Amino acid sequence: LGVAGTEINNTIFSAAANVCDENITLSAGGTEKRYTVNGSFVTSLPPDDVITDLTASMAGTIFYSQGQWGVKAGEFTSSVLALTEDDLRSNLQVNTRNSRRDNFNAVSGMFAGPETDYQPTDFPPITSTTFETVDGGERVVQDIPLPFTSTSSMAQRIAKIALYKQREQLTLSGTFGLRALQLQIGDVVSITNTRLGFSSKTFDVADWSFGFGTDKNLEVTMTLREISSAVYDWNAEETAFELNATTLPS
């Protein structure tokens, strides 16, 4: 994007790189890196589209916060701050569910790598009978292309995160006191709220801004989305990839 080097938060990018380099055990034995990026793109594509696809290859998010670009890879992190009723400067607006239009209970998509002779091919879909039952027995599939993901196992891990993260549907919006100034997008916070029945319930900071309240005090407005470690759990559970390829003469 042509930004200055000082606008890149190297500490945050380094932490994301370390997450990507972690080894994950595979169901067929052996390990692979949690996330890698493999592929190419043409320079005529809008940079935003390329960055979106690159970020998708690590089930991550990229954001601009406090004057710097940061990124977070797809892994659960513990809470960095505990917030209670004492931190609130407004009522909490609560949204309990996504609209039916935005809901899905299965994820499919395409990847390309050695398993597919580098041709874009569907990876085994990630489904959930539990989610289907909640949705009235109808399977609703969301397609997530992964042009920079080169193994079916990695694609399935990313797809599971997309599915389970979307099913964490509770969002909170409100204004908080100065303690929230230390937060940024992507941080995990714990919320304790007696009225809502929350006891150290974890949320992901989805939106963050600050300004002056009606009494001229500095306040932080945030949108929080519930998150749990279950979103990122993976226990060598991928389905073996089978390509029904026809062998043709040379």
Side-chain angles (χ1 to χ4, degrees):
L1 299 178
V3 301
T6 54
E7 289 186 75
I8 305 297
N9 190 319
N10 292 318
T11 301
I12 291 178
F13 271 86
S14 178
N18 290 337
V19 170
C20 295
D21 281 339
E22 294 171 355
N23 290 320
I24 299 298
T25 301
L26 302 177
S27 61
T31 63
E32 71 177 5
K33 296 300 181 183
R34 185 182 293 275
Y35 306 116
T36 63
V37 58
N38 304 275
S40 62
F41 59 89
V42 294
T43 56
S44 59
L45 287 173
D48 183 62
D49 291 351
V50 178
I51 290 172
T52 298
D53 287 340
L54 290 170
T55 307
S57 69
M58 62 174 175
T61 54
I62 191 166
F63 52 88
Y64 192 80
S65 177
Q66 300 178 18
Q68 288 188 309
W69 285 98
V71 72
K72 185 177 182 181
E75 184 181 54
F76 183 74
T77 56
S78 58
S79 171
V80 300
L81 184 66
L83 298 174
T84 67
E85 289 99 330
D86 294 337
D87 295 294
L88 282 171
R89 298 297 179 266
S90 71
N91 294 326
L92 281 175
Q93 295 181 342
V94 182
N95 185 14
T96 58
R97 289 185 63 83
N98 298 326
S99 68
R100 185 169 180 82
R101 180 187 62 185
D102 298 328
N103 230 15
F104 54 88
N105 50 47
V107 176
S108 63
M110 304 184 76
F111 78 108
E115 296 166 277
T116 69
D117 291 330
Y118 299 96
Q119 300 304 307
T121 307
D122 292 329
F123 58 80
I126 298 295
T127 62
S128 169
T129 55
T130 300
F131 296 157
E132 283 186 40
T133 301
V134 172
D135 295 339
E138 178 186 3
R139 176 169 292 185
V140 182
V141 182
Q142 175 73 23
D143 183 74
I144 56 166
L146 297 171
F148 291 104
T149 300
S150 61
T151 68
S152 62
S153 52
M154 193 178 302
Q156 289 175 74
R157 286 201 302 277
I158 296 171
K160 182 189 175 183
I161 291 171
L163 175 59
Y164 278 61
K165 192 172 185 178
Q166 191 268 347
R167 302 301 296 202
E168 300 267 2
Q169 302 187 44
L170 182 68
T171 58
L172 305 178
S173 299
T175 302
F176 297 81
L178 291 181
R179 293 181 67 232
L181 274 174
Q182 60 191 289
L183 298 172
Q184 60 186 358
I185 294 174
D187 281 343
V188 175
V189 299
S190 63
I191 300 291
T192 297
N193 187 290
T194 303
R195 183 178 182 184
L196 295 176
F198 296 159
S199 177
S200 298
K201 182 173 176 60
T202 51
F203 288 83
D204 193 59
V205 179
D207 190 55
W208 183 101
S209 63
F210 70 91
F212 291 100
T214 54
D215 54 1
K216 303 303 180 181
N217 288 329
L218 193 60
E219 299 175 339
V220 177
T221 301
M222 294 192 295
T223 298
L224 308 174
R225 182 166 183 168
E226 68 175 333
I227 196 69
S228 67
S229 60
V231 170
Y232 301 98
D233 284 346
W234 188 262
N235 299 308
E237 59 199 72
E238 68 271 8
T239 301
F241 177 77
E242 296 181 6
L243 180 62
N244 186 19
T246 300
T247 303
L248 299 175
S250 173

